[in-house]
Amino acid sequence: MPKVTVDGIEVEVPQGATVMQACEMAGKEIPRFCYHERLSIAGNCRMCLVEVSPGPPKPQASCALPAAEGQVITTTSEKVRKAREGVMEFLLINHPLDCPICDQGGECDLQDQAMAYGKGWSRYEENKRAVTEKYMGPLVKTVMTRCIHCTRCVRFAEEVAGVEEIGALYRGENMQITSYLEQAVTSEISGNIIDLCPVGALTAKPTAFSARPWELTRTDAIDVMDAVGANIVAQSRSGTVIRVVPRLNDEVNEEWLADAARFGVDGLRERRLDRPFVRHEGRLREASWAEAFAAIARRVEGLAGERIAALVGPMSALEEMVALKDLLTGLGSARLECRLDGAAVGEGAFGDRSHWRFNTTLAGLEQADAILLVGSAIRHDAPLVMTRIRKAVRAGAELLVIGEPRELGAPATFLGDDLALLAELPAGFREAARPAALVESRNARADVLAAVAALGLQREAWNGFNLLHADASRVGALDLGLVVPGGLAALAAEPPELLFLLGVDEPDLGPFRASFKVYLGSHGDRGAAAADVILPACAWLEKPGTFVNLEGRVQRSLRAVFPPGEAREDWTILRALADRLGVRLPYDDLAALRARIAGAWPHLGTPGLAAVPWSAPEAAGHAAPAGPTAKRTAGYYQANPILRASPTMAACVAEIVEGRRPALLEAAA
């Protein structure tokens, strides 16, 4: 490995490292605007200038210069200081004096670096350049006069998001960044260009002019809009979550975040359940907690345990799922079901933890050299998993898809929409050194899982058998054993007399029309409309909770704000209800509940990812799968009650899905 000297400090750097990386290894801060660790090198801004010897007698851009044996690098000389001052002076020639009204103020790279490396005054008095505003859709607000042409957004759209919808027009001082034909950017991760933009050219449209960064309280949390478990920071003020931004975790979401998680948070303020309701003479009427509990107690009295059941929704935390399990156990029932999409894992031949996990791990997926998707809705099920696949494809992996043709943002071979093709895969996939198969949970029938397991995806230190869940609660619920033999179909065939719905809004509740339904949830959506008793609960940012992502990684989310009205944490509601029903639950606070979880399920008691050995399923006897793949029925922007309540997500549906531009929306109004 090359050895270089940075300001008198000798460091050894990996082969292929740049001078900028060598400087950072030596503990030196190098300013930059266009360079980003996860994007290709552009060398546009020239802010990262350093002196390098041997080399030309002028500062060089360190981001694009390879480190070589024997280099002597100087980052603090007078020549470097003046060069950086000159670059900053050029960048500010046309930059408007918008700081007092710019949403980027307080977290702006240009502000910070102008203070650290700028002159403090300008010699230019010419008129500043102005650029007409561009339109990028309902999520990204543009003020392109502020743009410094770093092209981070362009490179992100092409390399990470896989959509070539952002580019540059014209040249030199006349260069302008815009979306294609000024249409809305359609990527499900488009909001990340807001974080990438080093100035205020791209900001969040839904929260424009609503708060300054220093006014917001930051809370570490976990995203529950899909099963990836992206690490986020919820930023709130006066008891309201203003915005959600990603938190760095290279093992899970890197530093990206899906648009539903970033912008759907305004749904927390709409259609909220803030008091109990009881159905009386066919109509839901407001009630007290005592009245709601009494209505449930009357139905439970004398009811056999096997006539009681529960369904678990997609955004439930471990704590309330354990409380619900303990309550039903106390009532004599074991009929709890979490597999609302019909997946066959969790019982029979596919009852081992390794059968419902993402065994490759998210970071490990980048090392795959052949990838098979069973189902093609991954951009909506898990947009951040698709970013990992794009990285693998750029590194040379082959992507095969069984499912209906969709735009995936990466070169792919669509084999057809027939599950029988699992028996006819190309030899290259079977013979790959690191093959990976991703089975969408809705397609995880027993015969499909048996066919995928028979592909032999295990190698030394490699397991390519992956289940791609869409629900944040699913892996945790399966680990807790919340399954009924035969699944939702078996429950529907023999409907219970009393049915608990823990945040359940998506499946068709028609088969349970005669059941007395108790709904615990945060929003007045489909489940609440069908319920006989509504118990108002917290949304995920309004309570501390433990979530298990699709890898099996245990993660903790903190409370950012408090719930409205009389809404309470789900597990406390179930704890109080248990007392009313004569069932004693062995915990009175969160610490005791988590101790109960750690005692019964040790792998769920400590945050982190525990290794799970592969257990080959005994899948013999299954017929070869055939027929088309199961399709995703929920739209990406309307996949759960929070998103359906979000005005921002409604605007995305109108424009991105239905193709109605804002002018047309105003005319329709």
Side-chain angles (χ1 to χ4, degrees):
M1 297 195 297
K3 291 183 179 180
V4 300
T5 303
V6 182
D7 292 342
I9 302 171
E10 187 175 79
V11 294
E12 191 173 18
V13 300
Q15 192 69 40
T18 64
V19 168
M20 176 184 284
Q21 292 168 328
C23 293
E24 290 177 338
M25 291 179 66
K28 302 298 179 179
E29 180 181 355
I30 303 297
R32 82 289 299 268
F33 290 114
C34 67
Y35 176 81
H36 192 276
E37 292 82 354
R38 303 186 196 279
L39 303 177
S40 60
I41 295 172
N44 293 342
C45 71
R46 319 306 289 180
M47 195 65 200
C48 61
L49 296 174
V50 297
E51 280 192 90
V52 181
S53 177
K58 63 178 182 179
Q60 299 184 68
S62 59
C63 69
L65 184 64
E69 180 70 33
Q71 283 178 334
V72 177
I73 303 165
T74 306
T75 68
T76 57
S77 67
E78 183 67 13
K79 183 184 291 186
V80 169
R81 185 185 68 82
K82 285 186 173 294
R84 291 176 180 171
E85 284 183 353
V87 170
M88 180 60 68
E89 195 172 6
F90 277 124
L91 289 174
L92 295 177
I93 288 174
N94 285 310
H95 199 76
L97 302 177
D98 281 353
C99 297
I101 55 102
C102 177
D103 274 329
Q104 196 84 344
E107 51 187 11
C108 175
D109 292 349
L110 188 63
Q111 278 185 333
D112 296 341
Q113 295 190 37
M115 291 293 293
Y117 302 102
K119 295 172 69 75
W121 68 90
S122 175
R123 294 171 288 177
Y124 293 91
E125 298 179 355
E126 291 77 13
N127 292 331
K128 290 181 179 287
R129 176 192 69 141
V131 180
T132 56
E133 298 305 339
K134 308 301 178 186
Y135 184 77
M136 290 191 180
L139 303 179
V140 181
K141 175 181 172 60
T142 66
V143 184
M144 302 312 292
T145 300
R146 302 171 185 162
C147 180
I148 62 170
H149 303 160
C150 70
T151 69
R152 281 184 179 182
C153 57
V154 178
R155 286 174 283 148
F156 172 84
E158 180 178 353
E159 298 167 11
V160 181
V163 293
E164 297 182 358
E165 296 180 344
I166 303 177
L169 302 176
Y170 317 121
R171 301 177 65 186
E173 187 183 44
N174 296 319
M175 179 177 169
Q176 299 180 23
I177 302 295
T178 181
S179 60
Y180 180 67
L181 297 180
E182 295 196 35
Q183 300 289 323
V185 180
T186 61
S187 170
E188 294 80 15
I189 55 174
S190 64
N192 292 288
I193 62 177
I194 296 168
D195 299 332
L196 287 172
C197 183
V199 295
L202 304 175
T203 55
K205 184 175 287 187
T207 57
F209 310 123
S210 60
R212 285 297 195 182
W214 55 84
E215 300 173 333
L216 302 176
T217 300
R218 291 163 169 78
T219 306
D220 289 351
I222 301 299
D223 169 43
V224 298
M225 296 300 164
D226 58 33
V228 172
N231 290 213
I232 60 175
V233 176
Q235 301 183 352
S236 59
R237 184 183 65 181
S238 302
T240 300
V241 178
I242 302 296
R243 65 176 181 171
V244 168
V245 296
R247 180 159 49 96
L248 178 65
N249 188 327
D250 285 330
E251 299 301 314
V252 182
N253 59 302
E254 300 179 289
E255 58 189 87
W256 314 129
L257 187 60
D259 288 348
R262 183 188 295 268
F263 296 108
V265 71
D266 58 350
L268 292 179
R269 302 190 289 270
E270 309 289 338
R271 306 182 193 173
R272 290 306 303 271
L273 299 172
D274 58 359
R275 69 204 71 179
F277 286 82
V278 175
R279 191 175 296 277
H280 180 67
E281 295 181 351
R283 294 178 63 87
L284 287 168
R285 303 185 186 278
E286 294 181 20
S288 66
W289 282 101
E291 291 170 338
F293 285 178
I296 299 170
R298 285 193 296 270
R299 297 303 296 254
V300 170
E301 187 176 359
L303 195 62
E306 62 268 17
R307 304 306 301 157
I308 303 173
L311 299 179
V312 176
M315 295 185 286
S316 301
L318 276 180
E319 288 80 3
E320 55 252 33
M321 291 192 289
V322 169
L324 182 61
K325 179 182 175 68
D326 290 345
L327 172 59
L328 262 68
T329 300
L331 295 174
S333 174
R335 302 180 74 191
L336 293 91
E337 181 57 65
C338 67
R339 302 165 299 173
L340 304 184
D341 55 10
V345 289
E347 59 175 307
F350 299 97
D352 187 81
R353 286 191 69 218
S354 60
H355 300 157
W356 59 74
R357 292 174 75 244
F358 202 88
N359 291 290
T360 305
T361 73
L362 293 169
L365 185 59
E366 298 177 14
Q367 308 304 316
D369 55 1
I371 300 173
L372 170 67
L373 298 181
V374 182
S376 57
I378 186 171
R379 277 183 57 174
H380 289 177
D381 283 343
L384 297 181
V385 175
M386 194 62 220
T387 65
R388 302 281 191 173
I389 292 177
R390 292 188 190 105
K391 291 173 75 172
V393 171
R394 288 202 306 275
E398 181 184 16
L399 177 58
L400 306 175
V401 183
I402 295 177
E404 60 181 350
R406 290 173 179 254
E407 177 54 56
L408 298 178
T413 301
F414 285 86
L415 302 177
D417 191 13
D418 188 348
L419 291 167
L421 292 167
L422 284 169
E424 304 173 10
L425 294 176
F429 179 82
R430 296 174 179 273
E431 298 168 1
R434 294 181 300 277
L438 282 64
V439 183
E440 290 179 354
S441 182
R442 71 184 69 86
N443 285 296
R445 305 183 331 225
D447 55 348
V448 174
L449 294 174
V452 173
L455 294 175
L457 302 172
Q458 289 69 42
R459 307 285 189 271
E460 184 179 358
W462 177 265
N463 186 350
F465 184 93
N466 301 304
L467 209 59
L468 184 65
H469 298 284
D471 296 348
S473 64
R474 181 65 58 82
V475 173
L478 289 169
D479 284 354
L480 295 175
L482 306 188
V483 297
V484 174
L488 192 59
L491 279 179
E494 189 179 350
E497 292 186 32
L498 176 63
L499 179 64
F500 288 93
L501 302 173
L502 185 60
V504 175
D505 294 274
E506 308 314 316
D508 177 19
L509 296 175
F512 307 101
R513 189 175 293 106
S515 302
F516 185 86
K517 294 177 282 294
V518 179
Y519 178 80
L520 285 82
S522 60
H523 283 68
D525 204 81
R526 301 164 186 167
D532 296 288
V533 175
I534 297 174
L535 305 178
C538 297
W540 97 101
L541 288 178
E542 298 165 353
K543 62 187 176 186
T546 305
F547 297 93
V548 185
N549 80 342
L550 48 72
E551 303 170 289
R553 187 184 303 272
V554 179
Q555 302 184 107
R556 293 268 167 85
S557 183
L558 304 179
R559 176 194 286 118
V561 295
F562 287 91
E566 298 180 43
R568 298 292 183 266
E569 292 182 41
D570 307 63
W571 78 265
T572 63
I573 296 173
L574 294 165
R575 171 68 179 80
L577 177 60
D579 277 351
R580 180 65 178 82
L581 300 180
V583 177
R584 174 61 187 169
L585 300 188
Y587 34 80
D588 295 317
D589 55 34
L590 184 62
L593 174 54
R594 287 180 170 170
R596 148 87 173 123
I597 295 172
W601 301 275
H603 64 281
L604 300 178
T606 304
L609 178 61
V612 176
W614 170 250
S615 174
E618 296 181 5
H622 289 284
T629 57
K631 307 303 186 290
R632 179 184 171 103
T633 56
Y636 175 69
Y637 300 106
Q638 303 275 273
N640 59 55
I642 296 175
L643 298 181
R644 285 192 287 272
S646 165
T648 302
M649 295 295 99
C652 290
V653 171
E655 184 168 352
I656 298 175
V657 178
E658 299 175 357
R660 293 187 287 154
R661 286 289 295 266
L664 299 178
L665 295 175
E666 294 171 6

